[in-house]
Amino acid sequence: MFDRLYLPLLGAAAVAMVALALVWPQGLGARSPGPFGHTPVQQTPAMKAAREREAAAARRREQDARAAIRDLQTQAIAPSQ
């Protein structure tokens, strides 16, 4: 008797979960199909601009660090008086 109630409820829950996944599969990855979903946060223009600013700042810091090391090495090899 318990199986007669449990298995149909389990099947209905599985169908509900699949339906929910079709409507709301969205994370930070690709956009949901059809009329559902929105543009993922990582793909918004503001976020793209922020990532580019962060990458440019990292490149600038790396170049500054390399220049500082190069200057220290030059001074160690041929110190100016």
Side-chain angles (χ1 to χ4, degrees):
M1 182 68 176
F2 183 68
D3 289 344
R4 286 187 180 185
L5 180 63
Y6 176 70
L7 292 177
L9 286 176
L10 189 63
V15 169
M17 294 299 285
V18 169
L20 180 63
L22 288 173
V23 175
W24 194 12
Q26 185 107 351
L28 295 178
R31 189 176 189 285
S32 297
F36 307 113
H38 54 80
T39 303
V41 174
Q42 299 294 332
Q43 295 179 5
T44 59
M47 188 61 83
K48 286 181 181 179
R51 276 197 324 259
E52 184 56 39
R53 283 192 309 271
E54 184 178 343
R59 282 191 302 269
R60 213 172 20 257
R61 284 191 304 270
E62 181 182 0
Q63 289 172 352
D64 291 345
R66 286 179 189 259
I69 290 173
R70 196 176 317 115
D71 290 343
L72 288 173
Q73 288 174 340
T74 303
Q75 288 177 1
I77 293 171
S80 60
Q81 296 179 7

